[in-house]
Amino acid sequence: MKRVMTVFAVCALSLSALTAATPYAEILSAAMTNSPAMQNNELTYQNSLLTQQQNELDDVVKVTVSSGTVSVLPADNTVTSLTDTLRPFSSVNPQIASLVESGVLDSYQTERTNADFTMTPSVEVVLPNDGSTTITASTGLGFEYGDGSYYSVSPSVGVSHTFDLTGYDTDLQSTLSNAKASLESERTYQNARLTFENQVLSNIKAILQAEQSLDKARYELEKAQKDLDNALALGNMSQDSVSYLQTVNSINLQQRTIDATQKQIETASAQYTTLTGLVWDGVDSLPQPDLTLSILPGGNTDVLVADIDVQLAQHAIDTKNHSVNPSSLTVTGAVNSALSDSSKSVSGNAGVTYTAGNWSVSSVLGGSYSNERNRFTPSLTVGGSWTNKTTRRSDDLELQRLNNSLISAQNDLTDARTTYVQGAQNLQIEILNYNYTLQTQAATRDYLEANYEYMQTLYDAGLCTEDQLNDARKELEWADVDDQVNTIDGLVLQNRISLLNL
């Protein structure tokens, strides 16, 4: 029961010293909010997320609508021959043609009160697929208003699609680049937060250790001054003795140490205020560190990014080979018609073009029907082309350079994996050392608690001095600070584990 009461008394003293302390979670939150660098880091991260969302948007159907050429020729109220007025329409109106050719209209004069109107609207639709399927539709409209009755309509519809026979993925580069940017932005964001937290922890640790050193120095100074006063009072030492001078010099040195430590605390406290926006009043509720180290099978972000770089380097080679040795099949088709007040015709065609390397062959099968001739006329067109490769030497050199870049990227990937594994092994050793420190500190605390209890028993029995009892109490109080420092070291190590696995 006496041991329990002693420990309770010591804990009560410790708790009273920490009553005004600020919880660590509150300190960290205030530091994150107070830091302009962390605010900018947050904004940069949010912008990177927006950019990723923008890059990952699916392609949409592209529609282009055009009015084409619109022409209006209004009446100018000038007197001209009817022959000249109607001659442009003679090619499409047999009755007008016969009148013009016979010269019947030459003796007539009329005032021009009619006008011409033409337009060629069109629509183009591009589908978001690998072959960029393109559908086009257009129509030509023309008619005369006023005294005339001429009209013409020329609707047409066409479609084309290209099949890449090489298996080349045009979207792979953007996909890989987006994945790389996402990994790097996440790593940068988390790295900044963990590094900043370690900075806050280091600042708190510096203050705690400085305060502990100050308390030890003051306690030792108080004991030294008390011993000196007792020695002088008892006549065991005179002020003109060498031992007195040595003691005074030692006390002065201790005082200068105290002054220097106080300045150190002031500096660390000012840094704490700059970091957190708070006034230092101690720290409380430090979380227990989790030092579980899991080695990721795929490695950290550095490894993943290096692997993506290898894929990008390989894709660059594939892109160059695709441009040097293309292999594609393009299919086209179209239907056209021409309708007017005097004739009607319909035509259509379907074509195929095969391209490989520097040559291509094509064929187009078509046909047309006209009501004037009342018959269908088929047609077949076959063509081909070949061009000598003037860039062969340049292409070979470029491919050699790209292959060297691929080898370099593969070496970087191997180095990233090795660095990650070595970093994990080093942290495992540090974790072992930290756990050993905790075990040593736990054993030391058990000893100090037992020693304080023992000294209290001796003091109650009049077998030890008050100074000896105070020494035991102080050692136990300083052990509390050591526990806090060890916890902070564990949190820093925990963040370093997280940094490794980013």
Side-chain angles (χ1 to χ4, degrees):
M1 178 63 67
K2 185 180 294 185
R3 173 183 172 88
V4 172
M5 294 300 296
T6 301
V7 174
F8 178 78
V10 174
C11 292
L13 289 174
S14 301
L15 290 174
S16 64
L18 296 175
T19 301
T22 304
Y24 174 71
E26 182 178 334
I27 293 174
L28 182 60
S29 176
M32 292 288 185
T33 304
N34 183 68
S35 171
M38 295 309 300
Q39 293 176 12
N40 287 339
N41 180 60
E42 185 71 32
L43 292 174
T44 301
Y45 179 66
Q46 294 299 326
N47 285 340
S48 68
L49 294 179
L50 294 175
T51 300
Q52 292 167 30
Q53 294 177 14
Q54 184 179 11
N55 292 337
E56 292 172 358
L57 290 176
D58 294 332
D59 295 334
V60 297
V61 177
K62 178 183 177 182
V63 179
T64 302
V65 180
S66 173
S67 65
T69 302
V70 180
S71 174
V72 178
L73 182 61
D76 55 8
N77 296 324
T78 59
V79 177
T80 182
S81 67
L82 186 59
T83 301
D84 293 336
T85 302
L86 298 180
R87 189 179 299 278
F89 305 103
S90 62
S91 60
V92 295
N93 192 314
Q95 295 177 348
I96 295 177
S98 62
L99 292 174
V100 172
E101 292 175 357
S102 64
V104 174
L105 300 177
D106 289 343
S107 58
Y108 292 93
Q109 300 288 325
T110 182
E111 182 177 333
R112 182 179 180 187
T113 59
N114 60 327
D116 300 332
F117 175 82
T118 61
M119 66 181 299
T120 56
S122 65
V123 176
E124 179 184 76
V125 179
V126 180
L127 303 182
N129 52 33
D130 293 338
S132 297
T133 301
T134 303
I135 302 172
T136 58
S138 65
T139 182
L141 302 175
F143 59 88
E144 175 192 14
Y145 62 90
D147 295 340
S149 60
Y150 168 75
Y151 76 91
S152 67
V153 182
S154 302
S156 65
V157 177
V159 62
S160 67
H161 184 89
T162 300
F163 299 91
D164 192 334
L165 305 181
T166 63
Y168 176 75
D169 187 355
T170 57
D171 296 329
L172 181 59
Q173 181 176 1
S174 61
T175 301
L176 292 174
S177 297
N178 290 341
K180 178 180 177 180
S182 176
L183 288 170
E184 290 180 332
S185 64
E186 185 69 28
R187 176 185 59 185
T188 300
Y189 174 69
Q190 296 297 342
N191 184 287
R193 291 180 64 87
L194 292 171
T195 301
F196 182 76
E197 181 178 359
N198 279 354
Q199 184 179 357
V200 174
L201 287 168
S202 297
N203 180 246
I204 294 175
K205 176 183 175 181
I207 297 176
L208 290 174
Q209 289 180 322
E211 288 181 337
Q212 184 188 52
S213 298
L214 179 62
D215 190 44
K216 287 182 177 180
R218 284 176 172 173
Y219 184 71
E220 293 299 327
L221 177 61
E222 181 181 352
K223 288 175 58 179
Q225 186 64 54
K226 183 178 179 181
D227 290 341
L228 177 60
D229 293 341
N230 290 336
L232 291 174
L234 295 174
N236 296 330
M237 181 184 300
S238 62
Q239 293 185 355
D240 55 354
S241 64
V242 175
S243 59
Y244 173 80
L245 294 177
Q246 290 177 340
T247 303
V248 170
N249 289 336
S250 176
I251 290 175
N252 291 336
L253 178 60
Q254 288 177 322
Q255 184 61 55
R256 286 194 293 268
T257 301
I258 290 174
D259 294 339
T261 305
Q262 286 177 330
K263 292 181 180 178
Q264 182 181 0
I265 293 175
E266 292 174 1
T267 301
S269 298
Q271 292 174 348
Y272 173 84
T273 301
T274 301
L275 279 174
T276 66
L278 304 174
V279 177
W280 170 253
D281 57 358
V283 60
D284 191 13
S285 303
L286 284 168
Q288 290 301 312
D290 180 7
L291 301 183
T292 302
L293 174 58
S294 300
I295 299 180
L296 304 176
N300 58 7
T301 300
D302 288 336
V303 178
L304 297 178
V305 168
D307 183 65
I308 291 177
D309 286 337
V310 171
Q311 298 180 58
L312 286 172
Q314 181 62 58
H315 183 71
I317 296 176
D318 296 340
T319 301
K320 186 60 181 179
N321 284 324
H322 180 264
S323 65
V324 173
N325 301 302
S327 179
S328 63
L329 186 68
T330 301
V331 180
T332 60
V335 176
N336 307 280
S337 63
L339 308 174
S340 67
D341 59 349
S342 60
S343 66
K344 298 178 178 61
S345 64
V346 178
S347 63
N349 64 76
V352 178
T353 301
Y354 175 69
T355 302
N358 58 336
W359 59 273
S360 66
V361 293
S362 63
S363 64
V364 179
L365 177 63
S368 62
Y369 171 80
S370 174
N371 69 329
E372 292 183 354
R373 299 181 179 182
N374 195 26
R375 66 177 181 178
F376 176 77
T377 303
S379 65
L380 175 64
T381 303
V382 179
S385 66
W386 174 87
T387 304
N388 66 316
K389 289 188 176 182
T390 59
T391 61
R392 181 181 298 275
R393 179 56 178 166
S394 175
D395 293 337
D396 291 342
L397 293 175
E398 178 67 9
L399 283 172
Q400 183 178 353
R401 185 188 67 81
L402 292 175
N403 276 290
N404 290 339
S405 297
L406 174 60
I407 296 173
S408 177
Q410 291 171 339
N411 291 336
D412 290 340
L413 175 58
T414 301
D415 183 64
R417 286 172 175 164
T418 302
T419 301
Y420 173 68
V421 173
Q422 290 177 345
Q425 292 173 345
N426 292 335
L427 282 178
Q428 286 175 335
I429 295 175
E430 292 191 40
I431 292 172
L432 291 174
N433 292 335
Y434 176 78
N435 289 332
Y436 174 77
T437 300
L438 288 185
Q439 294 174 358
T440 302
Q441 177 63 20
T444 301
R445 169 170 282 281
D446 290 341
Y447 166 77
L448 293 176
E449 288 177 353
N451 182 63
Y452 180 76
E453 177 187 353
Y454 175 69
M455 297 305 296
Q456 182 68 52
T457 302
L458 293 179
Y459 179 78
D460 293 341
L463 299 177
C464 75
T465 64
E466 184 179 358
D467 289 342
Q468 290 175 316
L469 179 62
N470 289 335
D471 288 344
R473 179 178 58 82
K474 277 294 185 181
E475 291 290 342
L476 194 54
E477 289 179 4
W478 295 329
D480 291 337
V481 179
D482 291 335
D483 287 341
Q484 285 187 310
V485 170
N486 287 335
T487 301
I488 290 175
D489 288 339
L491 292 173
V492 171
L493 188 55
Q494 172 184 295
N495 288 341
R496 289 179 56 198
I497 294 173
S498 299
L499 286 169
L500 175 70
N501 281 335
L502 283 180

